[in-house]
Amino acid sequence: MRGLFGLVVAIWLVIGLIAAFQRGYFGDDRDVSCKTFGDTALTVVAGPLNYIGVNPKIQCKDAPEPSR
């Protein structure tokens, strides 16, 4: 049973990777920021849900600057 669950999770994540690739999240021309990393990670985790209309996005707050 554990092996079947692992296989389902692996297939789920592969489908998420395909969706992220189709949306262009793995291009070299993008700067990596909190938002782009978060959007990519959420797309991968959402897996097959991407194909039924889920379009996960994340909003990052600016980190506070250290005092001088």
Side-chain angles (χ1 to χ4, degrees), residues 56-68:
K57 297 290 181 186
I58 192 167
Q59 301 219 355
C60 296
K61 305 287 185 206
D62 291 329
E65 295 293 322
S67 61
R68 293 181 186 207

Side-chain angles (χ1 to χ4, degrees), residues 1-11:
M1 186 66 165
R2 205 167 77 180
L4 178 63
F5 179 73
L7 180 64
V8 169
V9 169
I11 292 170

Side-chain angles (χ1 to χ4, degrees), residues 1 9 15-16 19-20 24 29 42 48 50 66:
M1 186 66 165
V9 169
I15 293 171
D29 58 341
L42 283 176
N50 291 290

Side-chain angles (χ1 to χ4, degrees), residues 11-63:
I11 292 170
W12 183 277
L13 293 175
V14 166
I15 293 171
L17 284 169
I18 292 168
F21 180 75
Q22 288 175 339
R23 290 182 179 172
Y25 288 159
F26 296 119
D28 289 335
D29 58 341
R30 296 182 66 172
D31 289 332
V32 176
S33 67
C34 173
K35 180 172 177 15
T36 57
F37 175 79
D39 288 346
T40 303
L42 283 176
T43 299
V44 171
V45 171
L49 298 177
N50 291 290
Y51 294 103
I52 60 169
V54 174
N55 189 11
K57 297 290 181 186
I58 192 167
Q59 301 219 355
C60 296
K61 305 287 185 206
D62 291 329

